[in-house]
Amino acid sequence: MITPADYEFFQRYLKAQSGLVLQEGKTYLLESRLLPVATHFGLPSIAALAAKLRQGSMEIGKAVVDAMTTNESFFFRDKTPFDLFSDVMLPTLLRNRPVTQPLRIWCAAASSGQEPYSLAMILREKVGIVAGRKIEIVATDISDDMLKRASAGIYTQFEVQRGLPVQLLLKYFRKNGENWQISEDIRRMVTFRNLNLLHSFTTLGMLDIVFCRNVLIYFDAATKGDILDRVSRNLRPDGYLVLGGAETVVGVSSKFTLVPGQRNLYGLAGSQSAVVAA
């Protein structure tokens, strides 16, 4: 049983380390995710886990943040953002960019890698308009375990059945025991890096497209605003930001404007991409 004092401690700890806002009444969630962490470190209870964190254990702290970070992902999740990438963002940016200028894409909170790999497969399918251009996909996550898994590109039968068209499965994956592994060619298109969204984005450089989907919902308004403001400084003037279906910039950041007629697709306020997307 988690005491009120320990629950409050985990709330503060998770907010400070990852930005995650743990609402009241989530005792079951905390117990179900942190009891395995306590067992892994040979600790008898969540109270003992909290005590170790109070002593400043970095290793346990990382494991706690990893366990509490939601890692739900699947290929071509929600479909619409990928249609917009294929039919709107990609052709518009390629038309407006010199052939010699790389197109740079960032997938934030990429979890086990299905989102960036979905984009990579679209790029392979669009070889006719992409040929001769350098396109970089950078995928980041706070969890080293998720990044290792994403880099390996190995998925269960259940995972490849969630949103992945069978023709793409047969074209870009091969059987690996009971699982499926995405081709080395597709894996080479994505660079995976550890990044905490509370920290600086300057090392990412300037970006043309940012996918930051289904992660802002776990932060409070001030943290959301800070993240979006920092994203705006790394986005090229005519670049695009893609948020999740339950996310918005309204009341959070004045740096972005919804692209007219497009759901969850944003451009920098006053930019050409915020006016037209075709």
Side-chain angles (χ1 to χ4, degrees):
M1 185 68 180
I2 302 176
T3 66
D6 282 342
Y7 194 90
E8 184 180 342
F9 167 75
F10 281 115
Q11 284 181 307
R12 294 195 309 271
Y13 187 87
L14 291 167
K15 175 68 165 57
Q17 297 299 317
S18 68
L20 177 66
V21 176
L22 183 65
Q23 303 291 347
E24 296 296 336
K26 299 291 184 179
T27 300
Y28 171 77
L29 177 67
L30 203 64
E31 289 177 339
S32 64
R33 295 197 179 184
L34 295 190
L35 276 173
V37 177
T39 300
H40 175 77
F41 287 100
L43 300 171
S45 65
I46 292 181
L49 191 69
K52 285 289 186 181
L53 287 181
R54 288 185 175 99
Q55 293 169 13
S57 173
M58 297 288 289
E59 183 182 9
I60 291 178
K62 180 180 176 303
V64 165
V65 170
D66 279 2
M68 292 303 300
T69 302
T70 300
N71 291 313
E72 172 72 5
S73 184
F74 51 90
F75 292 101
F76 298 96
R77 182 179 183 181
D78 302 328
K79 190 177 183 299
T80 298
F82 298 97
D83 290 341
L84 288 172
F85 175 72
S86 175
D87 301 336
V88 176
M89 291 180 269
L90 191 59
T92 300
L93 289 171
L94 291 179
R95 185 171 61 244
N96 295 335
R97 294 283 188 276
V99 176
T100 55
Q101 182 177 328
L103 191 69
R104 306 191 69 247
I105 303 162
W106 174 30
C107 292
S111 187
S112 44
Q114 286 95 323
E115 180 177 85
Y117 285 143
S118 295
L119 297 176
M121 284 185 279
I122 290 172
L123 290 170
R124 275 291 177 264
E125 293 294 293
K126 289 278 189 177
V127 65
I129 65 170
V130 172
R133 295 176 180 268
K134 183 177 181 181
I135 300 183
E136 303 171 4
I137 304 174
V138 179
T140 66
D141 201 86
I142 195 173
S143 169
D144 285 335
D145 289 341
M146 281 293 108
L147 291 169
K148 288 176 184 176
R149 182 159 182 258
S151 296
I154 298 174
Y155 301 96
T156 65
Q157 183 69 38
F158 175 72
E159 288 171 322
V160 298
Q161 288 176 329
R162 299 183 73 195
L164 180 65
V166 66
Q167 66 269 26
L168 296 184
L169 172 65
L170 297 176
K171 188 173 183 178
Y172 295 115
F173 289 74
R174 63 175 177 81
K175 284 290 284 184
N176 185 323
E178 295 297 313
N179 300 318
W180 292 84
Q181 184 169 33
I182 200 162
S183 70
E184 183 178 352
D185 177 55
I186 297 295
R187 279 183 282 144
R188 282 200 304 263
M189 294 175 67
V190 183
T191 301
F192 290 96
R193 295 170 50 182
N194 185 290
L195 181 69
N196 187 327
L197 292 179
L198 299 186
H199 299 165
S200 173
F201 302 157
T202 55
T203 58
L204 293 173
M206 295 304 294
L207 302 156
D208 297 285
I209 299 172
V210 174
F211 276 71
C212 187
R213 301 194 304 142
N214 307 307
V215 61
L216 294 182
I217 55 175
Y218 299 106
F219 301 143
D220 62 22
T223 304
K224 291 176 186 178
D226 175 60
I227 291 171
L228 289 172
D229 286 353
R230 285 185 287 119
V231 168
S232 74
R233 295 197 288 271
N234 279 72
L235 193 65
R236 295 190 188 280
D238 59 346
Y240 295 100
L241 167 68
V242 186
L243 297 182
E247 296 166 329
T248 180
V249 303
V250 177
V252 178
S253 173
S254 61
K255 303 293 185 181
F256 293 94
T257 302
L258 186 67
V259 174
Q262 306 295 349
R263 180 170 169 261
N264 301 115
L265 181 63
Y266 297 87
L268 290 171
S271 71
Q272 185 64 20
S273 63
V275 176
V276 63

